[in-house]
Amino acid sequence: MNKTDYFSVKLVNNELVFIDQTLLPFEEKYVTTSNYERIAGAIERLEIRGAPAIGIAAAYALALSQKEFFDPILFQNVYTRLKSTRPTAVNLFWALNRVKAITDNYSTKDFLHNEIFNLLINEAKVIHLEDEEMCRLIGINGLSLFTKKMNVLTHCNTGKLATGGDGTAFSVIKSAFNNNLINHVYADETRPLFQGSRLTAFELHKNEIPFSVLPDSAAASLFSSGKIDIVITGADRISRNGDTANKIGTYNLAVLANYHAVPFYIAAPSSTIDLACNNGSEIPIEQRNKNEVLGIFPENELTKSIAVYNPSFDITPSNLITGIITEKRIFNFPYSF
Ligand code: MRU
């Protein structure tokens, strides 16, 4: 297997194959299943993660739940179950609704069971292929921001692991690197689950892109050293006015970038834009388990009693975002999609 042949999710013989991201970078273990509950659990536990990737996986899971025969009640239950896995990334709901629309648009009694399954799995495949293409175009569009060899700061993981293609922010970094326009990449470690130091480091290493990992708390000092030319991160949901939900700590970087007059960009496919949300206050933010923060300490009476604030995402106000790189073009503030 080529160094960069790893993938987040893939359909093989009507089963979903996914890499267990909780084990990376120490073990590259692929799980094969067509069980929707296994896939729902994988999304909840972040074995499968990243906004576009969870949408693609959920679309496959919903279709695969109807592999043996089409059962409308089971279909509705699986749809509801998959929707409950994670609340913030809109790609999940967008992808599930696309697969569900197949059964709304056709009168299912007119079809044989396997014909319905074929329609459902086909829609999931199209969602996957479209995401791959959107990643490619985001990489091309983002290239125009590189006027010279630059140092980039990024947050969380936005590469192949998080999407169906080369990534969002990562795709921009990769195309800039391929055009000799990357000097160095700085990757926030991204506490508490270390998507930066585990997953982005894994991907930068595989692509032989020069990088350093930094503790999230070192970002201010890095900005003040004058080493950052541009910040590019991904997104989990972008509201109509451009306010953007992304991994906790993204807002910190936007404030710092603004203070230090460094351009701050979001890279995301159109499937991440939620026109039904007028602004960031309407985006649901996932609160995660306290053990993700305290798990490194042995459990005792004290740690059991400590309350933890552990939001998985924050909202960056649109006025702090210099531009949003999509597969169509780069949008600028004030946003109108
Ligand atoms: O909790 P995660 O790891 O699923 O969060 C992922 C992020 O916040 C990514 O930055 C975002 O999904 C963009 S992925 C291309």
Side-chain angles (χ1 to χ4, degrees):
M1 197 165 163
N2 185 295
K3 262 175 88 168
T4 53
D5 275 352
Y6 64 92
F7 57 86
S8 57
V9 295
K10 194 188 252 186
L11 189 73
V12 180
N13 299 329
N14 281 341
E15 290 197 286
L16 187 72
V17 183
F18 67 85
I19 193 164
D20 180 348
Q21 299 193 37
T22 62
L23 303 176
L24 289 170
F26 309 107
E27 201 183 329
E28 287 180 47
K29 182 183 159 199
Y30 288 88
V31 176
T32 302
T33 182
S34 55
N35 181 312
Y36 75 86
E37 184 50 45
R38 176 70 187 85
I39 299 167
I43 294 171
E44 284 170 337
R45 287 186 295 276
L46 272 59
E47 289 169 77
I48 302 170
R49 52 146 296 285
I54 64 178
I56 296 163
Y60 281 133
L62 182 56
L64 289 171
S65 72
Q66 308 300 309
K67 191 159 73 161
E68 309 305 333
F69 52 89
F70 182 69
D71 175 343
I73 294 171
L74 176 69
F75 186 77
Q76 183 58 45
N77 290 344
V78 175
Y79 169 77
T80 306
R81 168 71 183 107
L82 289 163
K83 268 196 349 180
S84 76
T85 51
R86 296 195 74 189
T88 303
V90 74
N91 308 62
L92 175 71
F93 308 96
W94 173 86
L96 284 171
N97 287 337
R98 268 184 67 167
V99 175
K100 187 169 176 295
I102 298 290
T103 59
D104 300 338
N105 294 343
Y106 293 95
S107 167
T108 49
K109 60 181 178 346
D110 295 342
F111 286 87
L112 296 171
H113 289 322
N114 67 338
E115 285 176 337
I116 300 171
F117 172 67
N118 286 342
L119 290 172
L120 297 173
I121 202 73
N122 226 30
E123 185 65 7
K125 284 184 200 166
V126 170
I127 289 169
H128 193 170
L129 283 173
E130 281 177 8
D131 189 66
E132 189 177 3
E133 177 62 4
M134 288 193 283
C135 288
R136 194 181 69 79
L137 295 171
I138 287 169
I140 292 171
N141 290 343
L143 204 52
S144 63
L145 302 173
F146 288 76
T147 45
K148 58 175 173 116
K149 244 183 148 165
M150 301 218 278
N151 288 342
V152 185
L153 173 61
T154 191
H155 190 68
C156 197
N157 171 263
T158 64
K160 256 190 175 183
L161 295 170
T163 65
D166 268 345
T168 57
F170 196 93
S171 176
V172 177
I173 291 169
K174 194 171 162 179
S175 69
F177 176 71
N178 289 339
N179 285 276
N180 200 25
L181 289 166
I182 290 287
N183 187 46
H184 202 80
V185 175
Y186 290 91
D188 271 357
E189 63 177 353
T190 316
R191 279 177 182 259
L193 296 181
F194 302 104
Q195 285 94 332
S197 53
R198 292 189 305 108
L199 309 176
T200 302
F202 171 85
E203 299 207 55
L204 288 165
H205 175 75
K206 291 257 183 199
N207 286 280
E208 298 178 3
I209 300 173
F211 73 98
S212 305
V213 166
L214 61 142
D216 299 338
S217 49
S221 126
L222 185 63
F223 275 105
S224 74
S225 75
K227 284 204 179 119
I228 300 303
D229 298 309
I230 188 168
V231 183
I232 315 176
T233 78
D236 286 81
R237 194 185 297 221
I238 300 170
S239 63
R240 181 183 280 274
N241 75 340
D243 292 351
T244 294
N246 190 48
K247 181 52 58 194
I248 191 74
T250 303
Y251 179 24
N252 307 29
L253 295 189
V255 172
L256 285 168
N258 204 258
Y259 182 79
H260 291 277
V262 170
F264 177 93
Y265 283 87
I266 295 287
S270 297
S271 52
T272 304
I273 300 172
D274 183 1
L275 295 178
C277 275
N278 290 307
N279 58 59
S281 70
E282 296 177 18
I283 301 178
I285 298 294
E286 178 181 11
Q287 301 288 329
R288 290 192 63 92
N289 195 290
K290 69 184 243 180
N291 295 337
E292 291 181 352
V293 180
L294 293 182
I296 48 171
F297 302 123
E299 198 180 69
N300 63 17
E301 282 315 304
L302 173 66
T303 55
K304 267 195 236 161
S305 71
I306 295 174
V308 171
Y309 174 62
N310 185 23
S312 195
F313 304 95
D314 58 25
I315 306 284
T316 299
S318 59
N319 64 330
L320 295 182
I321 302 170
T322 316
I324 298 180
I325 311 161
T326 75
E327 77 284 2
K328 294 183 184 134
R329 64 180 177 92
I330 301 178
F331 291 87
N332 293 102
F333 181 81
Y335 294 99
S336 167
F337 299 108

